[in-house]
Amino acid sequence: MRTTMTASHQELVRNAGTALDLDWALAAQANTSAIERRCAQLPGRRSVKKDHQAAWLLKAISLIDLTTLSGDDTAARVRRLCAKARQPVRAELLNALGFDGLHTGAVCVYHDMVETAVKALDGTGIPVAAVSTGFPAGLSPLPLRLAEIDASVDAGAQEIDIVISRRHVLGGDWQALYDEMKAFRAHSGDAHVKAILATGELGSLRNVARASRICMMAGADFIKTSTGKESVNATLPVSLVMIRAIRDYHARTGFYVGYKPAGGISKAKDALVYLSLIKEELGDRWLQPDLFRFGASSLLGDIERQLEHHITGAYSASNRHAMG
């Protein structure tokens, strides 16, 4: 019997946000040494092998936001990336694994490439995500950032990856962060919003925890670690802080909020560790594309290479697993 990657989970009520509760937001703390101990133990404590590993790697592919965010992006490059999103693993490898219906979670591009990606993915069910709000620094005037969201939604983007103003966090202006995130959510309409915290620039894990709570209260559908352009991007300690904030918010409100680690996740073994962390801290429901994504591009190539090794017993050259 062949396996297909079809959704078997219930449709969730979208996070509507809540009124700003600064007492709850500022009560968030982070025990750095305990967090680091927990994360250091995870890679050695959770290991999957052989067929189980292959199944987890196929799951990881379905959770990738396949991304190109380069200054030299062209329409041809984006179309090739979309073709890879539709067929992320070579057909003969999927046939050998007895698997059908695999595609990535989304394709993520700059606004200028949204229309190209939407056309290339028409009829596939794969959403297009647009980075927005002055990505990656988020320092353009607020009216321009809101207009950028409007334009991407009008062009067909179903997901908007916004960047918060780090200065609001660093200066402790939590009301400003909440108001900004509320405005981003309102302009996104039906498109789901991923709030990029740029955690490598927030100064402390405590700030990460507090910013996570504020953005969820303001209606973020996902919270995301990084733009991929910072010097420090996704890490396990940051991820643990953010997913525990998600867990606390769900316990408090009943709303499900997704999580997206991005930047620096390029190896299949790293993806497995992140999936283990999600399973242990949040549970199986978060291991679906509507609640978890990897922001990555080279990760897919390494996963495909590991799958070929699983089938053939030999590692192939990386050029056999190109993105387009």
Side-chain angles (χ1 to χ4, degrees):
M1 181 182 295
R2 300 186 67 84
T3 304
T4 59
M5 189 67 73
T6 57
S8 59
H9 53 273
Q10 76 275 19
E11 189 71 21
L12 298 178
V13 175
R14 187 177 181 187
N15 176 29
T18 68
L20 177 61
D21 184 344
L22 274 179
D23 289 339
W24 183 68
L26 299 184
Q29 300 293 331
N31 185 330
T32 301
S33 59
I35 291 166
E36 290 176 346
R37 275 198 310 274
R38 165 82 168 97
C39 293
Q41 294 168 356
L42 190 66
R45 201 163 51 82
R46 287 289 178 262
S47 180
V48 290
K49 302 295 184 183
K50 298 183 179 180
D51 289 346
H52 296 289
Q53 183 181 89
W56 276 99
L57 291 177
L58 290 168
K59 163 62 73 175
I61 290 172
S62 74
L63 303 173
I64 292 175
D65 279 4
L66 199 57
T67 301
T68 182
L69 298 170
S70 300
D72 59 352
D73 282 344
T74 64
R77 172 183 287 178
V78 170
R79 284 192 290 268
R80 289 195 301 271
L81 194 75
C82 292
K84 187 67 174 177
R86 295 194 307 267
Q87 180 70 60
V89 177
R90 298 201 318 274
E92 67 269 24
L93 297 182
L94 286 182
N95 286 336
L97 291 166
F99 204 91
D100 286 324
L102 182 65
H103 58 72
T104 66
V107 168
C108 185
V109 294
Y110 277 117
H111 165 73
D112 276 0
M113 296 297 167
V114 169
E115 187 175 352
T116 298
V118 168
K119 289 180 179 177
L121 295 172
D122 184 40
T124 66
I126 303 172
V128 173
V131 295
S132 194
T133 64
F135 180 94
L139 291 175
S140 55
L142 181 59
L144 295 182
R145 286 181 279 158
L146 296 176
E148 190 177 357
I149 293 173
D150 295 339
S152 291
V153 171
D154 289 345
Q158 294 165 273
E159 301 175 2
I160 305 292
D161 288 28
I162 64 92
V163 288
I164 67 167
S165 297
R166 283 71 121 183
R167 62 185 179 274
H168 295 331
V169 178
L170 297 172
D173 194 346
W174 302 109
Q175 182 71 55
L177 177 61
Y178 178 83
D179 292 343
E180 177 184 81
M181 184 66 233
K182 286 276 285 187
F184 293 159
R185 165 65 189 271
H187 278 256
S188 297
D190 291 335
H192 281 218
V193 184
K194 306 191 197 88
I196 307 172
L197 304 188
T199 55
E201 297 178 348
L202 295 189
S204 69
L205 291 177
R206 183 176 65 179
N207 277 346
V208 171
R210 292 176 173 181
S212 297
R213 289 186 174 192
I214 295 286
C215 286
M216 289 187 289
M217 284 191 284
D221 297 290
F222 269 70
I223 52 175
K224 174 180 171 182
T225 59
S226 323
T227 66
K229 309 295 185 181
E230 295 91 63
S231 58
V232 178
N233 294 291
T235 67
L236 287 174
V238 159
S239 293
L240 183 59
V241 169
M242 293 176 71
I243 63 181
R244 285 184 172 172
I246 289 170
R247 189 175 67 191
D248 291 343
Y249 183 77
H250 177 257
R252 181 181 175 87
T253 68
F255 290 123
Y256 289 78
V257 174
Y259 178 61
K260 180 178 175 180
I265 304 172
S266 60
K267 299 298 181 184
K269 63 181 180 180
D270 296 329
L272 294 175
V273 173
Y274 276 92
L275 293 179
S276 296
L277 184 64
I278 292 294
K279 181 176 177 63
E280 290 190 5
E281 293 286 336
L282 291 175
D284 290 344
R285 182 59 187 84
W286 264 268
L287 293 173
Q288 299 291 342
D290 61 344
L291 287 176
F292 184 79
R293 301 283 181 80
F294 289 108
S297 53
S298 57
L299 172 62
L300 176 54
D302 191 59
I303 291 177
E304 189 177 15
R305 188 166 177 259
Q306 297 300 325
L307 290 172
E308 182 158 352
H309 177 266
H310 172 71
I311 293 165
T312 67
Y315 284 108
S316 61
S318 59
N319 60 14
R320 287 175 56 83
H321 312 288
M323 287 301 101

